[in-house]
């Protein structure tokens, strides 16, 4: 078991025990604020559990029914949990609000709940310092973020402590105010998770800084002239990229594919990058497709044979579809073309552009 997993499990266990203590003391000690803080703590544990299970199933490999993997499982689970948290926070605010604005007298909490609130602050601070120390040792940003989350829990417990203390010295409504504060914090937590999950489900792109880093990485690949139609989205906090790159139209298909592979390799080295799809373009097709109306290879070769029926069959024909026109490179064998002079062959093939307006140029090459 790694240090990160071990400290996370210990933290979750301590938080669960603390949550149970807050809930019990808040309920029997008649402290709305402490009971709400218990719900706030238990929600952290539930989030960890759901993320743990959702991450396990979300990390499963792609299959026939899920060719893009199962990453959305965690997103859907997070969304469901977020809605529950939001509704829970509203119910806490509503219940405490009845004592603040509804005319119902707020009960005075028992004195011992004050000690529970103090204990919660001390324990959260211990968890914070221990987790932070481990995160620095193993250089884990995720663990460090979790440590600061424990510190924020301690801050919430301080507000609860002030509310309980105020209620004990003769201002019982302060306990309800503390509960409202915790309810707002739970609603905020749920709202943030809802926004994050919905943003992911509707394929929101990455932030500007990350996008610029992706563009810079692609532009530095040798052979990439420019890029367009760059699209990003996230699945389970991992980034997926689709991009079109413009390369020289005269290079071979294999070289263009090689350049595309270099783009993929470079992008997959970036943080949180999960998958990259690269489309290699010989010309900019972002706003138009100027060559889409042109005939394909088979149809074009039949037309050439129609206009040049007596010439020897070419060894190879290279087609370049550029700017709505076709450029031909016809390679002939000298031995197969012995009955015709190179000049006659070239002259006959040059008739093709005159008869087919979409042919820009015909180049004749002879192989030995």
């Amino acid at each position: 078991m790694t240090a990160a997993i071990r400290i996370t499990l210990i933290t979750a266990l301590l938080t669960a025990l603390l949550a149970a203590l807050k809930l019990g003391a808040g309920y029997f000690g008649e402290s709305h604020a402490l009971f709400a803080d218990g719900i706030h703590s238990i929600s952290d544990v539930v989030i960890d559990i759901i993320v743990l299970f959702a991450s396990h199933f979300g990390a499963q490999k792609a299959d026939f029914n899920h060719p893009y993997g199962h990453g959305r499982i965690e997103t859907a689970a997070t969304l469901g949990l977020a809605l529950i948290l939001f509704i829970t926070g509203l119910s806490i605010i509503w219940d405490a609000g009845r004592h603040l604005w509804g005319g119902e007298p707020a009960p005075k909490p028992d004195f011992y709940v004050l000690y529970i609130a103090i204990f919660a602050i001390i324990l959260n601070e211990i968890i914070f310092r221990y987790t932070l120390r481990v995160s620095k040792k193993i250089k884990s940003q995720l663990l460090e973020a979790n440590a600061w989350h424990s510190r924020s829990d301690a801050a919430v417990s301080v507000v609860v402590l002030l509310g309980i203390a105020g209620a004990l010295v003769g201002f019982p409504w302060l306990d309800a105010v503390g509960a409202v504060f915790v309810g707002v914090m739970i609603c905020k937590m749920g709202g943030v998770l809802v926004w994050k999950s919905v943003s992911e489900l509707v394929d929101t792109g990455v932030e500007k800084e990350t996008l610029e880093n992706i563009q810079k990485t692609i532009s530095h690949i040798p052979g990439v002239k420019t890029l367009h139609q760059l699209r990003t989205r996230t699945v389970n906090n991992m980034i997926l990229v689709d991009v079109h790159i413009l390369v020289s139209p005269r290079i071979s298909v294999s070289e263009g594919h090689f350049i595309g592979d270099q783009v993929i390799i470079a992008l997959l080295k970036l943080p949180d990058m999960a998958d990259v799809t690269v489309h290699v373009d010989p010309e900019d097709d972002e706003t138009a497709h100027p060559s889409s109306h042109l005939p394909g290879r088979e149809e074009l070769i039949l037309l050439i044979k129609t206009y040049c029926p007596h010439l020897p069959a070419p060894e190879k024909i290279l087609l370049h579809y550029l700017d709505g026109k076709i450029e031909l490179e016809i390679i002939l064998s000298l031995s197969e073309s012995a009955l015709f002079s190179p000049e006659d062959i070239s002259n006959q093939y040059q008739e093709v552009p005159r008869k087919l307006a979409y042919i820009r140029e015909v180049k004749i090459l002879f192989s030995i």
Side-chain angles (χ1 to χ4, degrees), residues 1-36:
M1 183 184 296
T2 65
I5 295 177
R6 183 169 59 252
I7 186 60
T8 301
L9 290 175
I10 293 173
T11 301
L13 178 60
L14 291 175
T15 304
L17 293 174
L18 185 59
L21 185 61
K22 290 177 182 177
L23 290 172
Y27 179 79
F28 292 108
E30 296 190 286
S31 172
H32 285 84
L34 190 61
F35 187 83

Side-chain angles (χ1 to χ4, degrees), residues 50-51 54-55 58 70-83 193-203 234-238:
I50 289 182
V51 169
S55 297
H70 299 77
R72 298 292 192 196
I73 290 177
E74 183 172 338
T75 307
T78 303
L79 179 59
L81 174 63
L83 293 173
L193 291 175
V194 166
W195 177 259
K196 181 175 178 290
S197 301
V198 171
S199 296
E200 187 171 306
L201 289 174
V202 298
D203 290 336
T234 58
V235 175
N236 193 17
N237 294 319
M238 299 299 290

Side-chain angles (χ1 to χ4, degrees), residues 19-325:
L21 185 61
K22 290 177 182 177
L23 290 172
Y27 179 79
F28 292 108
E30 296 190 286
S31 172
H32 285 84
L34 190 61
F35 187 83
D37 196 20
I39 294 177
H40 179 253
S41 295
I42 204 69
S43 66
D44 289 337
V45 179
V46 173
I47 287 175
D48 289 338
I49 293 174
I50 289 182
V51 169
L52 181 64
F53 280 96
S55 297
H56 171 72
F57 291 104
Q60 292 181 358
K61 295 181 179 180
D63 54 33
F64 180 79
N65 292 322
H66 305 89
Y68 290 96
H70 299 77
R72 298 292 192 196
I73 290 177
E74 183 172 338
T75 307
T78 303
L79 179 59
L81 174 63
L83 293 173
I84 294 173
L85 286 176
F86 194 78
I87 294 172
T88 302
L90 289 178
S91 67
I92 291 173
I93 295 171
W94 175 266
D95 184 63
R98 288 189 298 109
H99 299 290
L100 289 173
W101 306 291
E104 292 188 24
K108 183 179 179 179
D110 292 335
F111 194 83
Y112 71 86
V113 300
L114 188 68
Y115 296 111
I116 301 298
I118 294 174
F119 175 72
I121 295 171
I122 295 173
L123 183 58
N124 276 321
E125 184 66 18
I126 292 173
I127 292 173
F128 161 71
R129 292 183 180 277
Y130 181 58
T131 307
L132 186 64
R133 187 177 68 181
V134 174
S135 70
K136 297 294 185 183
K137 184 178 180 180
I138 66 176
K139 298 179 180 179
S140 172
Q141 292 183 350
L142 181 61
L143 203 58
E144 183 176 352
N146 198 30
W148 284 103
H149 183 67
S150 296
R151 170 61 71 84
S152 69
D153 287 344
V156 172
S157 294
V158 168
V159 175
V160 171
L161 175 64
L162 294 175
I164 295 172
L168 290 174
V169 297
F171 303 96
W173 53 269
L174 281 176
D175 184 67
V177 170
V180 170
F181 176 82
V182 177
V184 170
M185 293 297 295
I186 294 175
C187 284
K188 180 184 176 183
M189 183 191 303
V192 170
L193 291 175
V194 166
W195 177 259
K196 181 175 178 290
S197 301
V198 171
S199 296
E200 187 171 306
L201 289 174
V202 298
D203 290 336
T204 302
V206 298
E207 62 269 12
K208 183 179 179 181
E209 182 180 351
T210 303
L211 187 65
E212 290 176 349
N213 191 27
I214 292 172
Q215 292 172 326
K216 182 179 179 181
T217 301
I218 297 173
S219 299
H220 285 172
I221 301 298
V224 176
K225 299 172 68 175
T226 186
L227 63 101
H228 58 273
Q229 292 184 334
L230 173 60
R231 298 180 297 179
T232 63
R233 55 193 174 103
T234 58
V235 175
N236 193 17
N237 294 319
M238 299 299 290
I239 303 172
L240 286 76
V241 173
D242 297 309
V243 64
H244 287 223
I245 61 170
L246 187 66
V247 301
S248 172
R250 302 296 178 183
I251 63 176
S252 65
V253 172
S254 60
E255 185 179 356
H257 180 76
F258 173 80
I259 295 172
D261 278 348
Q262 299 308 301
V263 171
I264 294 173
I265 292 171
L267 289 181
L268 287 177
K269 293 179 180 178
L270 298 180
D272 303 324
M273 192 66 64
D275 187 65
V276 179
T277 301
V278 176
H279 182 88
V280 181
D281 289 329
E283 60 185 356
D284 192 342
D285 61 353
E286 183 172 12
T287 58
H289 300 274
S291 301
S292 60
H293 66 286
L294 298 173
R297 170 178 287 271
E298 293 185 1
E299 181 181 350
L300 190 59
I301 290 177
L302 288 175
L303 289 172
I304 292 173
K305 288 180 179 179
T306 301
Y307 293 119
C308 306
H310 304 298
L311 294 179
E315 280 189 348
K316 185 185 298 183
I317 297 179
L318 301 179
L319 306 178
H320 301 286
Y321 290 83
L322 300 170
D323 300 324
K325 300 285 187 178

